[in-house]
Amino acid sequence: MKADISEKIRTYFSQMSIYKDPEKTNSIFAGRNLPAFVKDFLLKRYLNVQTGEIDTLGLTQFLDQVIPTVTGSVKDRIVSGQEVVLLARFIIYIDLVKGQKQFAIPDYGIKLREGIIPEFVYNKHQGELVDGEKWGIVKLCLLPDSDGKKFHVQMVDYKPFKPYSSVDINYLAEARQHFTTDEWMDLLLSAMEYDPDGFANATQKLEFLTRLLIFAEPRLNVIELAPKGTGKSYVFGNLSKYGWLVSGGKVTRAKLFYDKSKQQNGIIKNHDFTVFDEIQTIVFQEPAEIQAALKSYLESGKTTIDNNEFSSECGLMLMGNIPLNEQRRPISPKYFGSLPENFRESALLDRFHCFIEGWLLPRIDTSMIFKGWTINVEYFSEILHTMRTNNAYSLLFDQLCRFEEKADVRDSKAIKRIATGYMKLLFPQWRSINDVNKEEFEMYCLNPAIHRRGIIKEQCRNIDPEFKSRMPDVYLV
């Protein structure tokens, strides 16, 4: 990435900028498997913003206190009567029958039945300690149960992992005006921790950045098929605390949507996006029930589970591998043949909006890991999360485009959502129709949206010859 872009980042994002040095970072965090948004939060605390140097001694001491490398030591210290402070990922389950707020910290061996959140901590953080996965700094101690016969681990203090309580979209829009579109795309790639110079052209860059659409646009449903080594898992597992990555194993309808026996919402309820990684390795139990629930949810964001109506704004993504020929193109023109049999149905797949051609992307190697100044991942992910509820760009699309009469509703919704996502990502400075560069809108937003939805339609036709693959005409006003 050019030096002048780095200087612009430091000028216009001074409080949000961070110097990335992969070799040093890997050494500092050795033995601690942390996502990028946590690493950047910690690095920012010990960074000299003038020189980019990190106080490695101070950071290491802090890590030793709150993220110990020896898993068993945490339980040993708790059992010995010590109060333990951890920066950790934990899972909350509210048991309505028992009236208990329970938590588990899988990385340190604390099970759900062992952890209790007392009322005073829960009440202090109304709306924060809800069902699902959280990150935060927690203080733990061992206390006896009410009957005095058993013990439990109690969360006696909690600080949410939220370095940015709010982010200003207007500030982002103002800063964006100082970057060209090419420079902005490079900034976004560097924020994802990839070196823009590792991509051959703007087409590759846009393909890679398309992965971020589900971070910013609610209920966008995406399929990506790609060869191994293109960075799929890293993007969705490391850049945001608002997503959930399902990697292999068994998946049930209760786990995804709603568990009637536990009266607990599934992972789709409390996340911005859910990604099924290595879809070929995931075992879907009760496939007919899951398929029926998915069809309804993908269509409207709602489904009914055991007479309970379930709704969410979570986007879904299917990621899988696809065999390629020597020219790195799919061996078969029927891409969806790489999906599990339960997903090879046109009525289900037509409910997905967007397709990412992962074979167009470069294989990630060490030279592509970014080194230099960029915006930190935690700020970046908060911006994308905040964008989800901003409807200005959707309204702007309505002013810019009209569809041919009798256009298929699924096609028009898909095109609008993809194009709106691109506007949020690439052109946050467009606040009114007078701001819009229509040539760039067509090149970077509208045409890619039509193309990506068109692949879904074409592949559905490969499954069902009676399926109509023609895309509607879209006109710029």
Side-chain angles (χ1 to χ4, degrees):
M1 190 165 73
K2 296 179 181 178
D4 56 340
I5 302 178
S6 293
E7 285 306 309
K8 283 186 179 183
I9 291 172
R10 296 187 70 182
T11 300
Y12 299 109
F13 292 99
S14 58
Q15 298 301 313
M16 305 84 171
S17 62
I18 191 169
Y19 187 82
K20 295 291 184 77
D21 187 340
E23 289 185 11
K24 183 177 290 186
T25 300
N26 290 340
S27 297
I28 292 172
F29 292 104
R32 296 178 173 96
N33 186 18
L34 299 173
F37 59 85
V38 175
K39 290 179 183 178
D40 275 14
F41 161 71
L42 295 168
L43 288 169
K44 189 79 172 143
R45 292 183 59 167
Y46 293 89
L47 175 75
N48 184 319
V49 295
Q50 300 301 322
T51 65
E53 288 297 312
I54 297 167
D55 176 7
T56 54
L57 178 61
L59 177 51
T60 301
Q61 289 175 341
F62 180 75
L63 288 172
D64 289 339
Q65 290 174 7
V66 301
I67 311 177
T69 54
V70 181
T71 302
S73 67
V74 171
K75 297 184 81 170
D76 288 342
R77 288 161 58 196
I78 292 174
V79 169
S80 68
Q82 296 182 44
E83 285 190 338
V84 176
V85 178
L86 299 173
L87 171 57
R89 173 184 67 97
F90 59 97
I91 299 167
I92 296 174
Y93 167 54
I94 299 176
D95 190 325
L96 297 176
V97 177
K98 295 181 179 178
Q100 286 184 337
K101 288 81 177 176
Q102 301 172 323
F103 72 93
I105 309 182
D107 295 336
Y108 295 106
I110 298 174
K111 301 179 178 62
L112 198 60
R113 56 183 170 79
E114 297 173 333
I116 298 293
I117 303 172
E119 286 298 322
F120 75 89
V121 174
Y122 180 79
N123 293 334
K124 185 179 177 181
H125 300 280
Q126 286 289 337
E128 278 283 346
L129 295 169
V130 296
D131 280 353
E133 184 182 87
K134 300 290 176 187
W135 276 90
I137 297 177
V138 295
K139 181 185 288 186
L140 310 175
C141 70
L142 193 68
L143 291 177
D145 290 344
S146 56
D147 59 10
K149 296 179 180 179
K150 295 181 179 179
F151 289 83
H152 65 268
V153 179
Q154 185 161 126
M155 184 187 296
V156 294
D157 197 14
Y158 165 66
K159 292 181 181 178
F161 178 77
K162 201 167 186 180
Y164 296 92
S165 56
S166 63
V167 289
D168 187 352
I169 299 299
N170 292 324
Y171 182 93
L172 180 80
E174 173 60 33
R176 169 63 178 90
Q177 297 182 58
H178 299 281
F179 295 79
T180 67
T181 299
D182 286 341
E183 288 175 339
W184 189 252
M185 290 173 69
D186 286 356
L187 178 150
L188 295 176
L189 288 167
S190 69
M192 298 172 75
E193 302 193 325
Y194 292 97
D195 190 334
D197 295 337
F199 295 83
N201 48 47
T203 300
Q204 264 194 358
K205 291 178 181 179
L206 189 63
E207 198 75 34
F208 199 86
L209 290 172
T210 301
R211 290 172 170 173
L212 294 177
L213 295 185
I214 63 170
F215 289 62
E217 183 64 17
R219 282 208 306 111
L220 182 67
N221 305 315
V222 183
I223 299 173
E224 177 179 350
L225 298 178
K228 294 181 179 180
T230 53
K232 300 189 297 295
S233 303
Y234 186 84
V235 168
F236 299 105
N238 282 272
L239 300 185
S240 175
K241 60 178 174 284
Y242 298 107
W244 188 284
L245 188 68
V246 180
S247 301
K250 296 180 180 179
V251 173
T252 64
R253 187 180 65 168
K255 183 178 180 180
L256 287 180
F257 294 102
Y258 181 78
D259 190 323
K260 183 181 178 181
S261 64
K262 296 180 179 178
Q263 295 184 317
Q264 182 181 12
N265 284 313
I267 58 179
I268 290 176
K269 184 68 175 180
N270 297 312
H271 294 87
D272 287 354
F273 57 87
T274 299
V275 178
F276 298 106
D277 190 18
E278 303 283 357
I279 186 72
Q280 294 96 334
T281 68
I282 297 174
V283 177
F284 290 90
Q285 295 185 323
E286 307 151 339
E289 292 184 358
I290 290 180
Q291 190 181 67
L294 280 175
K295 279 184 182 178
S296 177
Y297 178 76
L298 291 168
E299 183 73 20
S300 63
K302 298 179 181 179
T303 191
T304 301
I305 307 294
D306 297 321
N307 297 321
N308 293 294
E309 185 175 84
F310 175 94
S311 65
S312 176
E313 291 297 303
C314 179
L316 296 184
M317 184 167 188
L318 306 183
M319 290 197 306
N321 297 320
I322 187 169
L324 304 180
N325 59 25
E326 293 180 356
Q327 289 73 43
R328 286 183 62 83
R329 291 295 181 268
I331 292 174
S332 170
K334 298 182 178 181
Y335 305 159
F336 290 160
S338 297
L339 295 175
E341 186 175 350
N342 295 324
F343 282 88
R344 294 180 218 156
E345 183 190 353
S346 59
L348 173 66
L349 293 166
D350 187 34
R351 288 162 164 83
F352 283 85
H353 306 114
C354 177
F355 188 90
I356 298 176
E357 298 166 278
W359 52 85
L360 299 179
L361 299 174
R363 185 174 178 86
I364 304 299
D365 58 40
T366 54
S367 69
M368 291 188 66
I369 307 304
F370 180 73
K371 179 178 181 178
W373 286 96
T374 184
I375 56 177
N376 74 73
V377 172
E378 180 59 21
Y379 171 76
F380 183 51
S381 69
E382 284 295 333
I383 280 287
L384 296 178
H385 173 68
T386 304
M387 281 286 195
R388 295 176 69 82
T389 54
N390 189 314
N391 64 359
Y393 304 94
S394 177
L395 296 173
L396 194 54
F397 178 92
D398 292 337
Q399 293 178 276
L400 286 165
C401 299
R402 64 180 178 86
F403 290 91
E404 67 175 57
E405 290 187 18
K406 298 183 179 180
D408 184 275
V409 173
R410 287 180 185 166
D411 292 338
S412 59
K413 282 184 177 179
I415 292 169
K416 180 177 177 178
R417 285 186 184 172
I418 298 169
T420 298
Y422 278 127
M423 281 195 283
K424 292 176 179 179
L425 194 63
L426 300 175
F427 305 103
Q429 77 276 25
W430 290 351
R431 313 311 293 272
S432 73
I433 198 166
N434 296 324
D435 299 328
V436 177
N437 179 320
K438 290 188 177 180
E439 184 178 340
E440 286 197 314
F441 171 75
E442 196 168 16
M443 179 184 301
Y444 293 106
C445 305
L446 182 58
N447 288 345
I450 294 170
H451 173 67
R452 297 187 188 289
R453 172 59 183 170
I455 296 174
I456 297 286
K457 297 269 287 186
E458 180 184 348
Q459 293 303 314
C460 285
R461 182 175 174 80
N462 285 340
I463 294 173
D464 180 0
E466 295 184 5
F467 194 91
K468 296 180 180 179
S469 60
R470 178 186 173 273
M471 290 293 290
D473 292 326
V474 190
Y475 306 98
L476 279 177
V477 176

